[in-house]
Structure formats: structure tokens, C-alpha cells
Amino acid sequence: PISPVAEKGGIGMLALTDVKPGCECMVKWFFADRDIEENMRCLGIGQGSRLQVVSRSKGHLIIAPENGRRIALSEDIAKRIKV
């Protein structure tokens, strides 16, 4: 499926929480404290990385970065990731 950003002509950025499950997107930037940023990079999530939103439930998103792992993120962290 096409990401919401692509549906809008590719202009602008959205929070990861606005991406529908099943859509793939590219991380443009994210903001978090240094420890969280470092952990995210170790999990394969950083500027320019591609990922898919797998599902959403009870305040969490399940995502799949290119490395094939499935990772649960809180909505608070997911809102800080712009795609």
C-alpha cells in the first residue's frame, strides 16, 4: 500500500502514528533523548531507514524495519518519528 505522504503528493511529513498498518515509509527524522536515539539506531531505525507499520493496538505500534525484526513502540515514541 501507498504511504499517506505519497497519497498527498509526497509533500510534508507525518508522524509514524498517522501511517496506516500495512504501509511502508521512510524515516525523515526523529527526536528523542540520546539513550532512546541510540537504542533506535541499534534496532535499525534512523534517518533514511525504511519500515512498515504492521499493526496498532492499545497505545502501541508494531513496526518492521528493513532488517526484518518486529518492534513494538509506544505511541509517545512513534509520534516523535516523522516519515
Side-chain angles (χ1 to χ4, degrees):
I2 299 173
S3 77
V5 175
E7 288 175 355
K8 294 181 180 182
I11 299 172
M13 290 186 280
L14 295 173
L16 186 58
T17 53
D18 295 327
V19 178
K20 296 176 185 175
C23 290
E24 293 183 3
C25 52
M26 183 187 313
V27 175
K28 302 294 184 186
W29 64 268
F30 65 91
F31 179 76
D33 66 36
R34 177 167 274 151
D35 291 339
I36 292 174
E37 283 188 28
E38 191 175 312
N39 287 339
M40 299 283 279
R41 286 191 181 95
C42 288
L43 293 170
I45 302 167
Q47 186 174 352
S49 63
R50 299 183 78 60
L51 54 87
Q52 180 182 28
V53 175
V54 176
S55 66
R56 171 191 321 263
S57 70
K58 297 184 183 183
H60 290 83
L61 266 67
I62 306 296
I63 62 167
E66 291 176 301
N67 62 18
R69 290 181 166 171
R70 289 198 176 196
I71 301 165
L73 296 177
S74 70
E75 278 192 11
D76 181 54
I77 296 296
K79 285 179 187 176
R80 298 172 187 218
I81 299 172
K82 304 301 180 188
V83 296

